[in-house]
Amino acid sequence: MPRNQSTAAQRARAVQRETGAKYTAALRQATTAGTSPKVFSLRELLAECTTAPEWTGDHPEVDAEWAPRMFDSALLGGPVPYNAVLLLTGGLAAMGLSAEMTMESRHGFHTAVVACGGRRFELVLSQDDRVTELCLIPRCERHPVAEVLIPYCEHRHLAERSETELAKMAWEWGNDRRQEFESTPAAAHPGDQGNALIAAAVTQGVFSKVAAELVEGCFGDSDLIDEIYLNEAEATAIRHAIDTEHLLLKERGRSAAARIHKLAGGLCVCGATLHLAAEADVPARYCSAQCASSAATST
């Protein structure tokens, strides 16, 4: 047996010899069966990465010439690439070395998913430099709309957030864009990520609040434009940008509502025709606020 293998790896090899199972499946079973998530600090993971000897086993997924340099991690349930852990540590540096982490799952030598500080990351175990952020919802394999600021996937989980969450994300994303366009403030815009927030808001029936927060984040409080921008021409340009963005967001909201109406076959769950525009602030799947309220009460 190759030296420097973890207990989990040794158990997996034993299961492979005894049952003929694939090593990756045996490793997955050995690292997850009957165990609860282990909590460890970023400092502990970094210390393990920088002090553990190199793993000398054969990577079952890639040829030796392409295999990444790995160490046998007791914290992550088996061999992981050094560089992947260093990249992860860099991405979490702002949280401090005492930040608590857990390993959510490990799939043999394919991937490992870890969670830390309200964020989730996938480490690709067959490559040196593949660490990607995932949607905040456990077990979801999709990417978030905008990592820290909009940490949910557009496919499903963003549209499940509450009005308060969506409004908060909208303002923070808009403010981030405002800083990015600091030298040309009238050119700020929420981009595709803002469109995803609007689509989620339409799903929840909170378009007006989310759109307002998004625009204010991008351009500042419209009542304070003259105080923020002392140059009259610049203030006029900002007002025009605000008006334009409100119109664009209404158009995008109506498009999002139309898509939901189409998927629903044009009918509400009660059988009535879906017709309300996004600005009505009724979840797009319902024909009225009363119908939406009744459906929520019955579930």
Side-chain angles (χ1 to χ4, degrees):
M1 178 181 295
R3 60 184 174 86
N4 299 332
Q5 284 194 359
S6 67
T7 302
Q10 292 171 2
R11 291 200 302 270
R13 288 295 184 197
V15 170
Q16 183 188 35
R17 288 195 301 271
E18 293 170 7
T19 67
K22 289 185 178 180
Y23 178 65
T24 51
L27 178 60
R28 181 166 60 250
Q29 181 178 1
T31 56
T32 60
T35 61
S36 58
K38 181 178 181 180
V39 179
F40 51 92
S41 70
L42 183 57
R43 178 183 288 106
E44 290 176 285
L45 181 61
L46 181 60
E48 187 182 56
C49 174
T50 54
T51 59
E54 186 171 358
W55 181 70
T56 59
D58 297 325
H59 200 298
E61 301 297 328
V62 291
D63 295 336
E65 62 179 314
W66 303 110
R69 292 186 58 216
M70 308 177 84
F71 70 97
D72 217 348
S73 173
L75 299 174
L76 298 183
V80 294
Y82 287 103
N83 283 352
V85 171
L86 293 175
L87 284 171
L88 176 66
T89 303
L92 294 172
M95 297 185 185
L97 291 176
S98 298
E100 291 188 344
M101 308 182 68
T102 59
M103 187 180 77
E104 179 182 299
S105 63
R106 179 175 178 129
H107 303 282
F109 276 82
H110 292 285
T111 59
V113 177
V114 299
C116 180
R119 300 171 70 183
R120 298 172 62 243
F121 296 86
E122 179 183 74
L123 287 68
V124 177
L125 304 180
S126 59
Q127 298 182 40
D128 264 330
D129 55 356
R130 284 287 303 279
V131 177
T132 57
E133 190 153 356
L134 298 177
C135 172
L136 191 55
I137 301 300
R139 307 296 170 182
C140 180
E141 298 180 354
R142 296 179 181 272
H143 295 172
V145 172
E147 298 183 350
V148 178
L149 297 179
I150 311 176
Y152 301 95
C153 66
E154 182 178 1
H155 176 70
R156 173 184 173 188
H157 293 120
L158 181 61
E160 295 177 349
R161 301 306 98 204
S162 68
E163 176 181 7
T164 300
E165 290 177 286
L166 289 172
K168 181 175 183 291
M169 286 186 281
W171 189 90
E172 290 180 344
W173 174 250
N175 187 58
D176 183 79
R177 299 292 282 174
R178 184 182 180 186
Q179 294 177 41
E180 182 176 341
F181 286 88
E182 185 176 8
S183 60
T184 55
H189 61 87
D192 292 339
Q193 295 86 347
N195 293 343
L197 285 166
I198 289 300
V202 170
T203 301
Q204 289 286 10
V206 293
F207 169 83
S208 297
K209 177 65 173 177
V210 172
E213 292 294 320
L214 192 56
V215 173
E216 182 171 319
C218 277
F219 302 105
D221 188 337
S222 58
D223 293 332
L224 300 176
I225 295 300
D226 289 328
E227 297 178 28
I228 298 173
Y229 302 99
L230 301 179
N231 181 290
E232 184 177 348
E234 191 170 43
T236 299
I238 293 295
R239 289 196 187 90
H240 178 70
I242 289 174
D243 291 341
T244 299
E245 194 58 50
H246 274 300
L247 291 173
L248 289 173
L249 292 180
K250 285 183 179 180
E251 181 180 335
R252 290 163 189 156
R254 290 165 182 165
S255 295
R259 285 194 297 272
I260 294 173
H261 294 170
K262 182 177 180 181
L263 288 172
L267 296 177
C268 177
V269 290
C270 71
T273 301
L274 292 170
H275 65 281
L276 295 177
E279 306 94 281
D281 282 339
V282 173
R285 183 64 182 83
Y286 299 96
C287 62
S288 67
Q290 291 78 13
C291 189
S293 178
S294 297
T297 302
S298 63
T299 56

